[in-house]
Amino acid sequence: MAGIDIDGITKNFGRTEVLRRVDLDIRAGEFMTLVGPSGCGKSTLLRIVAGLELQSSGSVRIADTPVDSLRPRDRDLAMVFQSYALYPHLTVGENIAVPLRMRQLKGHQRWPYLGALMPGARDIERAIAAEVGSVADMLDIGHLLARKPGQLSGGQRQRVALGRAMVRHPKAFLMDEPLSNLDAKLRVHMRAEIAQLHRRLGTTFIYVTHDQSEAMTMSDRIAVMMDGAILQVAAPDTVYNDPTDIRVAEFIGSPKINVLPAMVRADGSLAVEDSIIAVEAGAAPGEPVTLAFRPEHALLADPEQAALRGRIAHVENLGSDILVHVRVGESGQPPLVVRTAPNGHRHEIGEKTGIDLSSRLPLLFGRDGKRIGVASARQREAAHG
Amino acid sequence: MVDHVLDRPLAEAKPVPATLGRWVQLRQAMAAYALCTPAVVLMIALLVGPILAVMALSLTDYQLGAKSLAFIGLENYVEMFGERVFWISLTNTMIYVALVVPGSVLLGLGVALLIEAGDSGKTFYRAVFFLPVMATLIAMAIVWEFMLHPQFGLVNLLLKLVGMTPQNWLTDGDLALYVLATIGIWQAVGFNMVLFLAGIVSIPRFLYDAAEMDGVPSAWERFRLVTWPMLGPVTLFVVVITSIRSFQVFDTVHVLTKGGPNKATEVLLYTMYAEGFEFFRSGYAAAITVVFLAFVLLLTVVKTQLIDKKVHYQ
Ligand SMILES: Nc1ncnc2c1ncn2[C@@H]1O[C@H](COP(=O)(O)OP(=O)(O)OP(=O)(O)O)[C@@H](O)[C@H]1O
Ligand SMILES: [Mg+2]
């Protein structure tokens, strides 16, 4: 178990800059998720930590020791690949044993057939087999040890890949989208299993995914990456409720956060569409900003009294929740989504409705996408006495 | 009959009452046979037919151009197995195969690995090593003849330059077969290299990443853990193809040694050629051909029955 410090890593492939000065401190025993859209450089960063790829500049430290000049073998990490990367010619048991055999047996003890006759080889092989057996039992694949990977289902292969990573008790686990080849149901199941595994092993995990729900459900902390840079590193709750950048706010959360262009007025309140939202924005008057709110932080209300008005464009009934899509104003913007509890009221398409935002302060972002402070108007009144 | 089957398209075949079921099944079976017929006829005429003809011929005393022939049973075979030249020829062929197969397979693999490991000039090296495959062997054999000439051949000149004794490469009975085998290897390496290159390129990169994470200590261990097993199917194919092609060695023998000196380079196909087209003993030559075919068939059977199961990991 060890912390991993990523310090000013950049990476260029030819002329394209894939990572730009990435800094990330991962604590010992932490489950850190790198999340971001496809192509943002998550895999590249992970491969640099693993030593499979060489950074253009910057350095990686594992347990406070720089590892930049070490081969992957000597960094004492284990990796689970998206494609599982099992050796197709070896049985499940042999696959899991590879990391141990490569490290514990001497070259001549690994010779085919003859190796087992070498002095000491038999004892080591026996210890390895015992280790493989216990890992396999832990992952519930004990009965599959004699099969070839080609004879396994996707989920079973995934477990074998996990077993091969676990068997050596490495300093940290690196996982690159390990669940993306599984079907939706199995993915949710394995999600829980990996999180449980992390709790049981207590080892540092770096987990790469482009699926924000995986990131939200499994991690201690999330690092949101975009275009080769980390935008925010925080606990899932914080990233969700307190995003520092509009791109983070839009990437995390499903359904997506609602955004509306707004204008700061002289008294700090916001002009949105044809109405005024009484808050105090921390931005200069006249500045265009983006107002954002989560679907569950708004309420459907009487159009006459609510901040925003529009017509219902679409209704999604999820059983536990109903997502009401409301088209506000005449603009070509996507409709706003409001999450409501099913209360027997039928929402008709085309029905006029209002959206009430007063239950919670909306999020504000400046023109550069960075978060802007906002206070409630009442506080202001209080402050002004 | 074919028309009758075809005038009722398949889409019309609806579920039928049980009593009609047998009739429909029969019609479908007949249609299937009818559709197979052209392929089967062609296969028999072009592939199986000639082989059967050779087998039949080997049981006669037919001479090329003769007006009549007589069935003589296994007499050709009896004569063949009693003849010293046949056994020399068979032994030489075996030695040739035993040298050329491992030589060209290992060299082909080595060259492919080196080319793939390098960063630049891949296309150039590939083309250079492939040259002997593209050039006609007869033409290249003549080049070799020049190079190996006892007096003014390049090889002997070079040997003299470094102070070693020149050799009579093609006329020395102890050397000639090995010289031919060397030329055989030289010719086959390029072909094998191309097959291995294709195999190496198709090995998924992530297996090498996995091996690296699993801690392979050396390039050799990486080769043993990933490259070699993943090349299993290609290697098997290369070995079988090279074996069959070396069994067929003929052009170099014909151009360079004519089986000599003193039968030292007599090989199966050359013996067959000499018997059939120089002495016109077609029946006897057919018997040799049958022996040759038996070996090729044996190789193919070994490939499909024994080894295929071990190199495809399903
Ligand atoms: N070997 C390479 N040569 C050139 N460009 C590369 C190479 N590897 C990756 N890239 C580029 O680097 C960028 C980041 O790639 P990376 O694989 O890290 O993305 P990712 O965030 O893992 O995406 P995904 O979610 O699709 O896996 C991409 O634009 C990709 O095209
Ligand atoms: Mg990736």
Side-chain angles (χ1 to χ4, degrees):
Chain A
M1 184 161 107
I4 297 175
D5 293 345
I6 295 167
D7 201 4
I9 293 284
T10 56
K11 174 72 185 173
N12 303 310
F13 284 113
R15 300 255 293 284
T16 47
E17 194 175 33
V18 175
L19 295 176
R20 21 191 134 191
R21 289 202 59 78
V22 172
D23 294 304
L24 185 61
D25 281 2
I26 299 156
R27 301 176 196 130
E30 185 172 35
F31 195 122
M32 170 65 83
T33 301
L34 296 178
V35 68
S38 189
C40 69
K42 310 177 295 284
S43 298
T44 308
L45 183 58
L46 197 70
R47 291 171 58 83
I48 288 174
V49 172
L52 293 171
E53 199 93 59
L54 194 66
Q55 66 266 38
S56 306
S57 69
S59 105
V60 177
R61 274 172 298 147
I62 298 174
D64 293 324
T65 318
V67 294
D68 303 304
S69 56
L70 296 185
R71 286 183 50 189
R73 167 187 166 84
D74 303 319
R75 296 189 182 195
D76 196 14
L77 305 172
M79 188 151 172
V80 179
F81 298 85
Q82 178 175 357
S83 47
Y84 316 134
L86 301 177
Y87 307 110
H89 58 290
L90 300 181
T91 64
V92 167
E94 289 164 340
N95 261 287
I96 299 178
V98 166
L100 295 180
R101 299 191 79 236
M102 284 299 159
R103 281 157 212 267
Q104 296 180 2
L105 290 172
K106 302 224 165 45
H108 62 269
Q109 293 172 326
R110 276 194 301 267
W111 283 350
Y113 308 114
L114 287 183
L117 305 176
M118 296 293 164
R122 190 156 303 166
D123 288 341
I124 303 178
E125 291 276 16
R126 205 171 292 138
I128 290 177
E131 192 74 25
V132 168
S134 80
V135 166
D137 285 341
M138 190 162 153
L139 290 167
D140 223 6
I141 48 173
H143 57 296
L144 302 174
L145 287 180
R147 291 214 207 154
K148 295 271 171 71
Q151 304 163 319
L152 301 181
S153 72
Q156 290 168 333
R157 281 180 220 186
Q158 184 57 63
R159 279 167 215 254
V160 178
L162 282 174
R164 188 176 61 179
M166 278 162 53
V167 75
R168 209 168 43 75
H169 307 295
K171 287 208 189 96
F173 289 98
L174 312 179
M175 306 197 174
D176 192 352
E177 314 215 11
L179 304 184
S180 59
N181 282 349
L182 303 179
D183 65 55
K185 206 167 158 198
L186 195 53
R187 195 152 37 191
V188 173
H189 177 74
M190 287 303 288
R191 203 150 86 180
E193 247 179 61
I194 290 181
Q196 207 179 356
L197 199 64
H198 171 252
R199 270 184 305 245
R200 177 140 47 135
L201 299 175
T203 312
T204 316
F205 274 49
I206 308 183
Y207 187 97
V208 162
T209 178
H210 62 255
D211 180 346
Q212 56 92 23
S213 60
E214 266 176 38
M216 292 294 289
T217 48
M218 300 166 76
S219 333
D220 292 327
R221 284 197 301 161
I222 298 179
V224 185
M225 275 186 85
M226 252 167 246
D227 297 330
I230 290 184
L231 297 181
Q232 185 172 8
V233 186
D237 245 4
T238 316
V239 171
Y240 187 80
N241 291 316
D242 214 1
T244 55
D245 191 291
I246 181 85
R247 290 174 289 169
V248 175
E250 289 195 288
F251 188 79
I252 300 289
S254 170
K256 221 168 124 176
I257 197 166
N258 297 300
V259 293
L260 278 171
M263 183 71 79
V264 181
R265 300 172 73 234
D267 63 350
S269 63
L270 296 168
V272 184
E273 296 295 330
D274 55 354
S275 42
I276 294 186
I277 297 179
V279 291
E280 187 178 359
E287 202 184 6
V289 293
T290 305
L291 176 136
F293 62 93
R294 299 257 174 223
E296 63 272 27
H297 295 159
L299 294 169
L300 292 182
D302 182 351
E304 299 311 313
Q305 281 146 35
L308 299 166
R309 277 163 295 281
R311 287 180 186 277
I312 295 179
H314 181 55
V315 178
E316 282 178 86
N317 190 342
L318 304 182
S320 58
D321 291 314
I322 296 176
L323 302 179
V324 182
H325 298 238
V326 181
R327 197 171 288 288
V328 171
E330 300 304 317
S331 54
Q333 290 183 54
L336 303 177
V337 180
V338 177
R339 190 193 290 270
T340 66
N343 56 1
H345 177 75
R346 264 188 64 80
H347 303 279
E348 300 291 343
I349 307 287
E351 183 187 330
K352 257 190 161 171
T353 185
I355 299 176
D356 176 22
L357 299 179
S358 61
S359 68
R360 189 158 177 148
L361 277 176
L363 304 174
L364 270 197
F365 298 92
R367 225 176 335 184
D368 58 355
K370 294 284 169 248
R371 181 80 175 277
I372 298 174
V374 59
S376 70
R378 214 180 310 132
Q379 277 172 347
R380 183 186 55 161
E381 276 156 24
H384 285 227
Chain B
M1 185 198 81
V2 175
D3 283 347
H4 174 68
V5 169
L6 290 181
D7 68 12
R8 191 178 153 168
L10 226 69
E12 260 181 61
K14 299 209 177 78
V16 276
T19 45
L20 279 178
R22 291 251 319 266
W23 172 231
V24 170
Q25 267 181 9
L26 188 67
R27 278 177 51 158
Q28 281 186 351
M30 285 191 332
Y33 283 118
L35 291 172
C36 288
T37 310
V40 171
V41 167
L42 280 175
M43 205 169 88
I44 290 175
L46 298 177
L47 302 173
V48 182
I51 291 179
L52 290 178
V54 166
M55 286 179 169
L57 205 59
S58 73
L59 303 176
T60 68
D61 65 351
Y62 182 65
Q63 304 225 332
L64 195 63
K67 295 235 159 43
S68 65
L69 80 178
F71 178 76
I72 55 169
L74 293 176
E75 225 167 273
N76 280 328
Y77 291 92
V78 174
E79 183 187 347
M80 184 172 73
F81 291 131
E83 219 172 303
R84 202 177 62 93
V85 176
F86 169 76
W87 290 110
I88 292 177
S89 175
L90 189 61
T91 316
N92 284 344
T93 310
M94 291 296 188
I95 294 175
Y96 183 87
V97 171
L99 290 173
V100 171
V101 172
S104 66
V105 170
L106 290 180
L107 275 176
L109 177 60
V111 169
L113 287 172
L114 287 178
I115 290 180
E116 211 30 63
D119 284 331
S120 56
K122 285 188 188 181
T123 352
F124 171 74
Y125 290 121
R126 249 185 305 216
V128 167
F129 280 97
F130 202 60
L131 268 181
V133 187
M134 294 185 291
T136 331
L137 195 50
I138 298 271
M140 294 321 281
I142 291 169
V143 175
W144 277 104
E145 192 168 21
F146 282 134
M147 296 219 301
L148 296 171
H149 192 281
Q151 267 99 57
F152 18 83
L154 184 64
V155 177
N156 274 355
L157 289 182
L158 285 176
L159 280 186
K160 270 188 245 172
L161 212 61
V162 298
M164 287 162 73
T165 19
Q167 304 285 339
N168 289 326
W169 297 108
L170 294 171
T171 47
D172 182 336
D174 292 335
L175 274 181
L177 186 61
Y178 301 102
V179 171
L180 289 184
T182 308
I183 298 176
I185 293 175
W186 167 85
Q187 209 257 338
V189 162
F191 186 67
N192 294 348
M193 169 208 71
V194 168
L195 292 175
F196 277 123
L197 273 178
I200 291 172
V201 169
S202 67
I203 300 176
R205 305 301 322 161
F206 55 70
L207 284 184
Y208 289 104
D209 289 342
E212 205 59 47
M213 294 307 291
D214 287 344
V216 286
S218 60
W220 166 244
E221 288 289 347
R222 186 171 57 223
F223 175 79
R224 268 195 38 204
L225 181 65
V226 180
T227 314
W228 180 243
M230 296 309 287
L231 284 180
V234 175
T235 309
L236 174 63
F237 181 74
V238 168
V239 166
V240 169
I241 285 288
T242 316
S243 309
I244 292 177
R245 283 163 58 115
S246 350
F247 254 105
Q248 298 169 336
V249 57
F250 174 75
D251 357 25
T252 42
V253 177
H254 187 56
V255 173
L256 296 175
T257 64
K258 298 258 188 289
N262 194 19
K263 307 283 178 218
T265 59
E266 187 84 23
V267 291
L268 221 44
L269 278 206
Y270 190 77
T271 313
M272 184 202 84
Y273 168 81
E275 292 290 348
F277 298 98
E278 285 177 0
F279 309 125
F280 303 122
R281 302 172 60 201
S282 301
Y284 185 77
I288 300 180
T289 310
V290 169
V291 170
F292 168 77
L293 285 176
F295 274 107
V296 172
L297 190 69
L298 185 72
L299 277 172
T300 318
V301 169
V302 167
K303 170 189 182 295
T304 48
Q305 289 302 307
L306 288 178
I307 323 183
D308 257 4
K309 294 190 186 85
K310 287 208 171 159
V311 292
H312 293 107
Y313 313 107
Q314 285 314 315

PDB file of all heavy atoms in Angstrom, chain A residues 13 18 37-44 177 210, ligand 1:
ATOM      1  N   PHE A  13       2.588  13.140 -28.174  1.00  0.00           N
ATOM      2  CA  PHE A  13       2.788  12.161 -29.238  1.00  0.00           C
ATOM      3  C   PHE A  13       3.089  12.967 -30.484  1.00  0.00           C
ATOM      4  O   PHE A  13       2.174  13.557 -31.065  1.00  0.00           O
ATOM      5  CB  PHE A  13       1.545  11.307 -29.444  1.00  0.00           C
ATOM      6  CG  PHE A  13       1.343  10.267 -28.393  1.00  0.00           C
ATOM      7  CD1 PHE A  13       0.267  10.334 -27.520  1.00  0.00           C
ATOM      8  CD2 PHE A  13       2.237   9.215 -28.259  1.00  0.00           C
ATOM      9  CE1 PHE A  13       0.080   9.365 -26.554  1.00  0.00           C
ATOM     10  CE2 PHE A  13       2.045   8.240 -27.297  1.00  0.00           C
ATOM     11  CZ  PHE A  13       0.967   8.316 -26.438  1.00  0.00           C
ATOM     12  N   VAL A  18      -0.910  15.494 -25.400  1.00  0.00           N
ATOM     13  CA  VAL A  18      -1.997  14.671 -24.888  1.00  0.00           C
ATOM     14  C   VAL A  18      -2.230  14.928 -23.402  1.00  0.00           C
ATOM     15  O   VAL A  18      -3.362  14.917 -22.927  1.00  0.00           O
ATOM     16  CB  VAL A  18      -1.678  13.185 -25.137  1.00  0.00           C
ATOM     17  CG1 VAL A  18      -2.725  12.302 -24.498  1.00  0.00           C
ATOM     18  CG2 VAL A  18      -1.618  12.908 -26.628  1.00  0.00           C
ATOM     19  N   PRO A  37     -14.148  12.325 -20.748  1.00  0.00           N
ATOM     20  CA  PRO A  37     -14.639  11.819 -22.027  1.00  0.00           C
ATOM     21  C   PRO A  37     -13.554  11.068 -22.790  1.00  0.00           C
ATOM     22  O   PRO A  37     -12.368  11.172 -22.467  1.00  0.00           O
ATOM     23  CB  PRO A  37     -15.053  13.090 -22.772  1.00  0.00           C
ATOM     24  CG  PRO A  37     -14.291  14.182 -22.130  1.00  0.00           C
ATOM     25  CD  PRO A  37     -14.064  13.785 -20.714  1.00  0.00           C
ATOM     26  N   SER A  38     -13.959  10.318 -23.780  1.00  0.00           N
ATOM     27  CA  SER A  38     -13.032   9.524 -24.568  1.00  0.00           C
ATOM     28  C   SER A  38     -11.961  10.415 -25.205  1.00  0.00           C
ATOM     29  O   SER A  38     -12.262  11.491 -25.701  1.00  0.00           O
ATOM     30  CB  SER A  38     -13.824   8.803 -25.655  1.00  0.00           C
ATOM     31  OG  SER A  38     -12.998   7.884 -26.290  1.00  0.00           O
ATOM     32  N   GLY A  39     -10.715   9.958 -25.120  1.00  0.00           N
ATOM     33  CA  GLY A  39      -9.635  10.687 -25.773  1.00  0.00           C
ATOM     34  C   GLY A  39      -9.028  11.796 -24.938  1.00  0.00           C
ATOM     35  O   GLY A  39      -8.178  12.541 -25.424  1.00  0.00           O
ATOM     36  N   CYS A  40      -9.398  11.907 -23.656  1.00  0.00           N
ATOM     37  CA  CYS A  40      -8.888  13.021 -22.860  1.00  0.00           C
ATOM     38  C   CYS A  40      -7.524  12.698 -22.245  1.00  0.00           C
ATOM     39  O   CYS A  40      -6.902  13.553 -21.626  1.00  0.00           O
ATOM     40  CB  CYS A  40      -9.866  13.407 -21.772  1.00  0.00           C
ATOM     41  SG  CYS A  40     -10.010  12.176 -20.478  1.00  0.00           S
ATOM     42  N   GLY A  41      -7.052  11.467 -22.398  1.00  0.00           N
ATOM     43  CA  GLY A  41      -5.710  11.144 -21.928  1.00  0.00           C
ATOM     44  C   GLY A  41      -5.660  10.318 -20.658  1.00  0.00           C
ATOM     45  O   GLY A  41      -4.590  10.172 -20.057  1.00  0.00           O
ATOM     46  N   LYS A  42      -6.779   9.735 -20.246  1.00  0.00           N
ATOM     47  CA  LYS A  42      -6.808   8.936 -19.020  1.00  0.00           C
ATOM     48  C   LYS A  42      -5.897   7.716 -19.122  1.00  0.00           C
ATOM     49  O   LYS A  42      -5.048   7.473 -18.256  1.00  0.00           O
ATOM     50  CB  LYS A  42      -8.231   8.438 -18.732  1.00  0.00           C
ATOM     51  CG  LYS A  42      -9.291   9.498 -18.772  1.00  0.00           C
ATOM     52  CD  LYS A  42     -10.665   8.903 -18.558  1.00  0.00           C
ATOM     53  CE  LYS A  42     -11.133   7.958 -19.634  1.00  0.00           C
ATOM     54  NZ  LYS A  42     -11.582   8.596 -20.875  1.00  0.00           N
ATOM     55  N   SER A  43      -6.064   6.978 -20.220  1.00  0.00           N
ATOM     56  CA  SER A  43      -5.252   5.774 -20.374  1.00  0.00           C
ATOM     57  C   SER A  43      -3.782   6.123 -20.448  1.00  0.00           C
ATOM     58  O   SER A  43      -2.936   5.437 -19.874  1.00  0.00           O
ATOM     59  CB  SER A  43      -5.645   5.026 -21.643  1.00  0.00           C
ATOM     60  OG  SER A  43      -6.972   4.621 -21.566  1.00  0.00           O
ATOM     61  N   THR A  44      -3.490   7.196 -21.147  1.00  0.00           N
ATOM     62  CA  THR A  44      -2.096   7.599 -21.283  1.00  0.00           C
ATOM     63  C   THR A  44      -1.497   7.894 -19.913  1.00  0.00           C
ATOM     64  O   THR A  44      -0.383   7.459 -19.608  1.00  0.00           O
ATOM     65  CB  THR A  44      -2.004   8.836 -22.194  1.00  0.00           C
ATOM     66  OG1 THR A  44      -2.704   8.568 -23.397  1.00  0.00           O
ATOM     67  CG2 THR A  44      -0.570   9.180 -22.502  1.00  0.00           C
ATOM     68  N   GLU A 177     -10.616   1.011 -17.526  1.00  0.00           N
ATOM     69  CA  GLU A 177     -11.958   0.643 -17.982  1.00  0.00           C
ATOM     70  C   GLU A 177     -12.191  -0.862 -17.913  1.00  0.00           C
ATOM     71  O   GLU A 177     -12.536  -1.481 -18.923  1.00  0.00           O
ATOM     72  CB  GLU A 177     -12.180   1.128 -19.419  1.00  0.00           C
ATOM     73  CG  GLU A 177     -11.715   2.543 -19.615  1.00  0.00           C
ATOM     74  CD  GLU A 177     -12.579   3.318 -20.574  1.00  0.00           C
ATOM     75  OE1 GLU A 177     -13.650   2.830 -20.924  1.00  0.00           O
ATOM     76  OE2 GLU A 177     -12.182   4.439 -20.935  1.00  0.00           O
ATOM     77  N   HIS A 210     -14.769   6.169 -18.420  1.00  0.00           N
ATOM     78  CA  HIS A 210     -15.412   7.351 -18.984  1.00  0.00           C
ATOM     79  C   HIS A 210     -16.868   7.412 -18.526  1.00  0.00           C
ATOM     80  O   HIS A 210     -17.625   8.269 -18.938  1.00  0.00           O
ATOM     81  CB  HIS A 210     -15.303   7.369 -20.512  1.00  0.00           C
ATOM     82  CG  HIS A 210     -15.979   6.210 -21.162  1.00  0.00           C
ATOM     83  ND1 HIS A 210     -15.300   5.148 -21.686  1.00  0.00           N
ATOM     84  CD2 HIS A 210     -17.279   5.946 -21.340  1.00  0.00           C
ATOM     85  CE1 HIS A 210     -16.158   4.267 -22.159  1.00  0.00           C
ATOM     86  NE2 HIS A 210     -17.364   4.717 -21.961  1.00  0.00           N
TER      87      HIS A 210
HETATM   88  N1  LIG C   1       0.570   5.990 -29.497  1.00  0.00           N
HETATM   89  C1  LIG C   1      -0.099   7.130 -29.756  1.00  0.00           C
HETATM   90  N2  LIG C   1       0.272   7.924 -30.776  1.00  0.00           N
HETATM   91  C2  LIG C   1      -0.388   9.073 -31.037  1.00  0.00           C
HETATM   92  N3  LIG C   1      -1.445   9.522 -30.343  1.00  0.00           N
HETATM   93  C3  LIG C   1      -1.877   8.774 -29.321  1.00  0.00           C
HETATM   94  C4  LIG C   1      -1.244   7.535 -28.971  1.00  0.00           C
HETATM   95  N4  LIG C   1      -1.883   7.012 -27.911  1.00  0.00           N
HETATM   96  C5  LIG C   1      -2.880   7.878 -27.610  1.00  0.00           C
HETATM   97  N5  LIG C   1      -2.874   8.934 -28.464  1.00  0.00           N
HETATM   98  C6  LIG C   1      -3.798  10.075 -28.421  1.00  0.00           C
HETATM   99  O1  LIG C   1      -3.792  10.585 -27.121  1.00  0.00           O
HETATM  100  C7  LIG C   1      -5.081  10.997 -26.742  1.00  0.00           C
HETATM  101  C8  LIG C   1      -5.431  10.376 -25.408  1.00  0.00           C
HETATM  102  O2  LIG C   1      -5.501   9.002 -25.539  1.00  0.00           O
HETATM  103  P1  LIG C   1      -5.948   8.059 -24.360  1.00  0.00           P
HETATM  104  O3  LIG C   1      -5.891   6.656 -24.844  1.00  0.00           O
HETATM  105  O4  LIG C   1      -5.150   8.379 -23.156  1.00  0.00           O
HETATM  106  O5  LIG C   1      -7.461   8.492 -24.158  1.00  0.00           O
HETATM  107  P2  LIG C   1      -8.509   7.972 -23.089  1.00  0.00           P
HETATM  108  O6  LIG C   1      -8.844   9.125 -22.230  1.00  0.00           O
HETATM  109  O7  LIG C   1      -8.009   6.744 -22.435  1.00  0.00           O
HETATM  110  O8  LIG C   1      -9.755   7.652 -24.002  1.00  0.00           O
HETATM  111  P3  LIG C   1     -10.753   6.395 -23.946  1.00  0.00           P
HETATM  112  O9  LIG C   1     -11.773   6.719 -22.912  1.00  0.00           O
HETATM  113  O10 LIG C   1     -11.338   6.384 -25.313  1.00  0.00           O
HETATM  114  O11 LIG C   1      -9.947   5.180 -23.649  1.00  0.00           O
HETATM  115  C9  LIG C   1      -6.015  10.595 -27.861  1.00  0.00           C
HETATM  116  O12 LIG C   1      -6.349  11.753 -28.583  1.00  0.00           O
HETATM  117  C10 LIG C   1      -5.219   9.656 -28.701  1.00  0.00           C
HETATM  118  O13 LIG C   1      -5.533   9.822 -30.056  1.00  0.00           O
END
